[in-house]
Amino acid sequence: MPIDVSVCVGKAQPLIRDLVMLGENAVLTLDRRIDDPVDLYVGERLIARGLLEEKEGDDTGRLVVRLTEIVDLQHQP
């Protein structure tokens, strides 16, 4: 049974007035750096962390996540 996994690369908290002014080619600064780990979620639940990489081989140019940490789901609220 397939499940949806979301990858969070960072967050931003712009003011609404700044957000509505964004246009094409605008830049929204996130709270993380390019080499920081990304978070993997199933629904609202954090399940793992990893690093973004470019896939090699036939799918060059696609992003993949190399898992570096599996979250202990038994100790989450």
Side-chain angles (χ1 to χ4, degrees), residues 39-57:
D39 296 331
L40 279 76
Y41 289 90
V42 171
E44 299 290 321
R45 183 167 282 211
L46 176 66
I47 61 164
R49 290 190 176 86
L51 299 173
L52 285 179
E53 297 181 0
E54 183 178 352
K55 187 170 183 177
E56 297 177 4

Side-chain angles (χ1 to χ4, degrees), residues 53-64:
E53 297 181 0
E54 183 178 352
K55 187 170 183 177
E56 297 177 4
D58 293 339
D59 285 337
T60 298
R62 294 187 60 121
L63 290 175
V64 299

Side-chain angles (χ1 to χ4, degrees), residues 8-71:
C8 180
V9 297
K11 296 179 183 175
Q13 293 183 319
L15 298 173
I16 292 175
R17 69 171 182 252
D18 295 334
L19 189 59
V20 298
M21 298 298 290
L22 292 177
E24 191 172 329
N25 294 317
V27 175
L28 185 62
T29 302
L30 302 176
D31 63 349
R32 296 200 186 168
R33 298 189 173 278
I34 193 78
D35 293 328
D36 285 348
V38 296
D39 296 331
L40 279 76
Y41 289 90
V42 171
E44 299 290 321
R45 183 167 282 211
L46 176 66
I47 61 164
R49 290 190 176 86
L51 299 173
L52 285 179
E53 297 181 0
E54 183 178 352
K55 187 170 183 177
E56 297 177 4
D58 293 339
D59 285 337
T60 298
R62 294 187 60 121
L63 290 175
V64 299
V65 178
R66 181 173 304 279
L67 299 183
T68 58
E69 176 187 353
I70 305 298
V71 174

